[in-house]
Amino acid sequence: MRAYEIVGPDGIDALAMNKRADPLPEADQVLVRVRANSINFRDLSTILDPEPRRIPYPRIPNSDGAGEVLAVGPKVTSVKPGDRVAGCFFTNWVDGGITAEIMGTAMGGAVDGMLAEQVVLPESGVVRIPDHLTYEEAATLPCAGLTAWRALIEEGKLKAGETVVLLGTGGVSLFALQFAKMHGARVIITSSSDEKLARAKAMGADVAINYRTHPEWQQEALKHTDGRGVDHVVEVGGSGTLARSLDAVRVGGHIALIGILSQDKIDATAIMRKSVKISGIYVGSKRMFADMNAAIALSGLNPVIDQVFSFDEAPGAYHAMKAAGHFGKIVIAIDP
C-alpha cells in the first residue's frame, strides 16, 4: 500500500510517497481502508517544522481520516468488516480525563497518522460514522469537529439562548457555528473577509464582524449583548485576540482555548476579576466523539468542505492550507 511520509525537515514538497507492506491487524486491532483525510493547521505545522516536535523519520502525517473496516482481530467486538469508521485523534482515549500516556498516542505526530491507503488502529481508536456522511465529510470530524464539540458542549455546557463568539471561518469555527445553532445559541462571528462573513451568515450566524473594519471587535460584540458580554468564546485567533476575548466575555463566562494559534500571554487579573473559566482544549475522547456523531446523525448536519484534493495531489492540500484562503475544511480523497 502507498503512504505519504515525513522524511526530513524540508517541508511540504519533501513529503515522500512510499510503499509499505500491507498492514495486518493483531488481536485487538482494526484494519481500515482509508477513503479520505482532512488536514488541520497542526498537520501543516508538523510537516513544516518536524524537528522541534521530535518527529521520528519516516512518519505518516495527518490525524484525521475515515474509511471502511477491512478486517478485525479476534478480540475486536465493536466493529466488523464493512463498517464505516473514522480514526480517533488519540487512539487510546476512550473516556475520562486526558493523561500523558494518552497524549503519546496522537496520530500524525507521536504515532503514524492516516495519510495512507490502509492503516491498523486499536479498537479503542475507531468510531462509527453517521450514515448520511460521505467519507470526505466524515474525515473532517476527528480533530476540528470534536474540538468544537468539546469546547462548547462538553466544557462549555452550552444552553439555548446563550451567545457565542467565534473567531474566523476555519474548520473549528464553522463546526462551532453549526453546533451552536443546533443547540439554539446565538452566534457572533469575526473574519477579515466580507465574503466569508456573508457565507457564515447564510449558515446561521446572527452577527458578523469584519475585524479589519472593526479592529476592536470585542466592543462590537459587547454592543450586541447590551454591554453584558458573551457567554462563550471559542478562541482560535492569533496575536492579540485573547485580551479581546477576555474583554468580550461576560462575568462568569467561558473561553475555550484551542490549539497553537493563540500565543498571547494571559492576563490573570482579568480572568480573576471576571471569574472567567478558561478551558484548554486538545481534541477529545472516543466517548465524546460518539456523542457528537449521535447529534450529527440526528440533526443531519453536513461539515463544510472548501476543497478536495486527490491522493496524488496531497502536497497541494497543504499548500492550500498554508495560503489560508479556505472556508471550512481541506480534504484529501484516497481512491480505492
Side-chain angles (χ1 to χ4, degrees):
M1 63 99 181
R2 298 179 301 163
Y4 279 94
E5 295 175 337
I6 303 170
V7 294
D10 298 321
I12 296 169
D13 293 324
L15 278 175
M17 184 197 284
N18 292 323
K19 290 187 176 181
R20 291 192 178 191
D22 290 347
L24 295 172
E26 295 181 2
D28 59 350
Q29 292 180 328
V30 178
L31 174 63
V32 178
R33 173 179 288 166
V34 184
R35 299 294 195 180
N37 273 214
S38 74
I39 62 174
N40 303 288
F41 186 81
R42 175 252 193 187
D43 302 313
L44 173 64
S45 299
T46 300
I47 291 167
L48 291 178
D49 208 13
E51 295 197 343
R53 295 168 173 78
R54 299 180 182 178
I55 301 298
Y57 306 135
R59 170 65 79 228
I60 298 174
N62 285 15
S63 59
D64 290 15
E68 63 186 279
V69 175
L70 291 179
V72 300
K75 292 185 178 179
V76 173
T77 60
S78 62
V79 294
K80 63 184 184 305
D83 284 349
R84 291 165 18 101
V85 299
C88 298
F89 184 98
F90 294 109
T91 61
N92 72 341
W93 189 7
V94 176
D95 201 359
I98 194 168
T99 65
E101 290 74 22
I102 287 169
M103 291 177 66
T105 68
M107 287 205 291
V111 300
D112 275 336
M114 297 288 288
L115 195 54
E117 292 177 317
Q118 296 181 27
V119 299
V120 164
L121 300 172
E123 183 178 13
S124 59
V126 296
V127 63
R128 293 186 185 185
I129 59 178
D131 291 340
H132 75 281
L133 297 184
T134 66
Y135 285 121
E136 288 81 8
E137 290 172 323
T140 70
L141 300 177
C143 184
L146 187 52
T147 295
W149 178 267
R150 182 181 172 199
L152 288 179
I153 312 308
E154 290 282 337
E155 303 291 342
K157 311 298 182 188
L158 182 67
K159 297 180 178 64
E162 291 187 325
T163 300
V164 177
V165 162
L166 307 176
L167 305 184
T169 55
V172 171
S173 293
L174 292 186
F175 270 116
L177 168 57
Q178 291 176 296
F179 293 145
K181 300 311 294 183
M182 180 193 299
H183 284 77
R186 185 167 177 255
V187 173
I188 300 171
I189 194 165
T190 72
S191 174
S192 62
S193 166
D194 287 335
E195 178 186 356
K196 290 181 179 180
L197 289 173
R199 294 176 69 180
K201 289 271 284 186
M203 291 176 60
D206 300 277
V207 177
I209 302 171
N210 188 315
Y211 62 77
R212 301 278 188 206
T213 307
H214 301 285
E216 300 299 325
W217 54 262
Q218 75 278 14
Q219 297 300 329
E220 296 299 309
L222 287 169
K223 289 179 185 177
H224 287 283
T225 57
D226 296 325
R228 175 177 178 268
V230 303
D231 300 286
H232 305 269
V233 181
V234 179
E235 170 58 73
V236 297
S239 178
T241 62
L242 183 55
R244 291 180 171 88
S245 294
L246 283 166
D247 285 343
V249 76
R250 66 168 170 83
V251 172
H254 173 234
I255 297 175
L257 203 58
I258 310 295
I260 60 175
L261 296 182
S262 183
Q263 298 288 327
D264 292 351
K265 293 181 179 179
I266 294 179
D267 183 352
T269 301
I271 295 169
M272 290 184 289
R273 178 173 54 84
K274 297 178 79 172
S275 299
V276 176
K277 174 186 175 183
I278 293 184
S279 302
I281 307 295
Y282 193 13
V283 199
S285 68
K286 180 176 180 175
R287 192 270 306 161
M288 297 177 200
F289 200 163
D291 288 350
M292 177 185 71
N293 282 352
I296 289 172
L298 185 62
S299 69
L301 179 151
N302 292 99
V304 179
I305 294 176
D306 184 86
Q307 297 180 74
V308 179
F309 292 79
S310 73
F311 192 57
D312 290 337
E313 298 170 329
Y318 297 103
H319 284 297
M321 171 67 76
K322 188 176 180 182
H326 54 289
F327 182 90
K329 296 296 291 180
I330 296 171
V331 171
I332 300 166
I334 303 176
D335 293 334

